[in-house]
Amino acid sequence: MRPTEEILQELCNPDLFQMFLKIKSLPLLWLVLRGLVLLSERPETAREIRALLPDIMETLQFGNVHVTLNALNIFRNMMNHLGKMVLRPITLELADKLLHLFNHVSGEVRESSILLFQDVMEAVVWWQKGKMRKNVRRGLLPLLFRNSDETSSVAEAAGETLLACAKFLNWQELKHQAEKRNMVGIRECLLQQDRKRVDKYLQQSLLYLRDSQAAMRQEALSFIGLAWVYWDQSEEMRKKIYSVLHPLEHDSHPTIRSLATSTILMLRYSRQQAKSGGAGW
């Protein structure tokens, strides 16, 4: 049963909500956010609670599925009624927090955070675009991998947002490959376009080698297998990759086992080449 207009007006007390949002109790936060979801669904009350957006954003840190979904729904409703500009005061910080939700255990959270990231990116003001580009670059590899998410709606959202990122960065080749959903072409484009980030891309890839989804592990292995050509071959990174790759030789999926073994052999070969002064790359 939906609350009446009179109840909603009585419920709309931003000062009280702000006080409750600072209490670190998940059941209470869920209840408070449910109330704010209802208020955010109406343009009149949405305007009255927009000052609470920074406090609502802070609830994302808990990672709780129900709390997080409520918070994301509030942001979505607020944009629908008040426009994307309502997020401008928090765009950079919110973009950073959304990136951490791309790998959430809940497919619904992954999908909602990825789609909201696109809106936040497009809401940024011109003088913040330089800082936003850093967040967008950090999101490219996770979005590439999430194109293969086992939840089809997440994969679709990732493809759509990756294309939006390419347009935001004005990377024409990435835009071209993202429009075709060409995974191999996107991998190559990321490595060629942003060679200074290869080490960071490899660091990000390691997280996905431990992902519960076989598709994510496979994507990470495929990326690492391609990235070694562009890599400066630091010994520290090599050891990190080895430590994560070895357990995958016993993965339950034959394709993962095969890719892990071939990647390890390739890394060993490249190391031998470097030591012997063989041809570089």
Side-chain angles (χ1 to χ4, degrees), residues 164 190 215 217 250 268:
L190 291 185
R217 301 197 297 278
H250 307 285
R268 285 176 179 165

Side-chain angles (χ1 to χ4, degrees), residues 133-146:
R133 284 192 184 96
K134 294 179 181 179
N135 282 325
V136 173
R137 284 196 181 100
R138 286 171 53 208
L140 293 176
L141 197 67
L143 289 171
L144 165 63
F145 291 167
R146 287 298 164 195

Side-chain angles (χ1 to χ4, degrees), residues 72-244:
L72 295 175
N73 285 336
I74 292 167
F75 288 124
R76 176 71 57 196
N77 292 339
M78 296 289 278
M79 283 193 302
N80 288 341
H81 293 308
L82 306 179
K84 293 178 182 178
M85 301 306 104
V86 72
L87 297 180
R88 277 188 171 175
I90 59 170
T91 48
L92 294 176
E93 192 175 354
L94 180 56
D96 177 68
K97 292 184 182 298
L98 291 174
L99 286 171
H100 296 287
L101 298 178
F102 287 6
N103 300 323
H104 199 281
V105 65
S106 164
E108 196 173 353
V109 170
R110 293 197 300 275
E111 179 185 356
S112 296
S113 61
I114 288 170
L115 291 174
L116 184 58
F117 183 83
Q118 180 178 338
D119 290 321
V120 170
M121 178 178 61
E122 293 169 353
V124 71
V125 290
W126 67 268
W127 65 83
Q128 291 181 321
K129 280 197 171 183
K131 293 181 179 178
M132 181 60 78
R133 284 192 184 96
K134 294 179 181 179
N135 282 325
V136 173
R137 284 196 181 100
R138 286 171 53 208
L140 293 176
L141 197 67
L143 289 171
L144 165 63
F145 291 167
R146 287 298 164 195
N147 266 261
S148 301
D149 197 288
E150 292 172 359
T151 303
S152 59
S153 59
V154 176
E156 189 65 31
E160 179 185 323
T161 302
L162 183 59
L163 177 57
C165 288
K167 293 176 181 178
F168 182 86
L169 295 169
N170 197 27
W171 290 4
Q172 294 305 314
E173 183 58 26
L174 179 59
K175 175 178 174 290
H176 176 64
Q177 299 298 338
E179 286 174 338
K180 297 192 299 181
R181 297 291 288 272
N182 181 355
M183 297 300 103
V184 174
I186 294 171
R187 289 180 207 137
E188 291 178 344
C189 183
L190 291 185
L191 292 165
Q192 291 172 5
Q193 182 78 39
D194 211 358
R195 293 193 180 208
K196 292 180 180 179
R197 287 190 60 86
V198 172
D199 267 8
K200 292 180 180 178
Y201 284 147
L202 286 169
Q203 288 277 13
Q204 285 183 295
S205 298
L206 296 183
L207 298 174
Y208 291 87
L209 292 177
R210 297 185 175 95
D211 198 278
S212 61
Q213 291 188 28
M216 295 297 99
R217 301 197 297 278
Q218 184 171 336
E219 277 297 318
L221 281 165
S222 298
F223 185 83
I224 291 170
L226 181 63
W228 77 276
V229 179
Y230 302 85
W231 178 34
D232 67 4
Q233 303 289 311
S234 68
E235 190 62 26
E236 182 183 358
M237 178 61 74
R238 191 193 305 274
K239 288 178 180 178
K240 283 184 181 180
I241 294 175
Y242 276 143
S243 68
V244 183

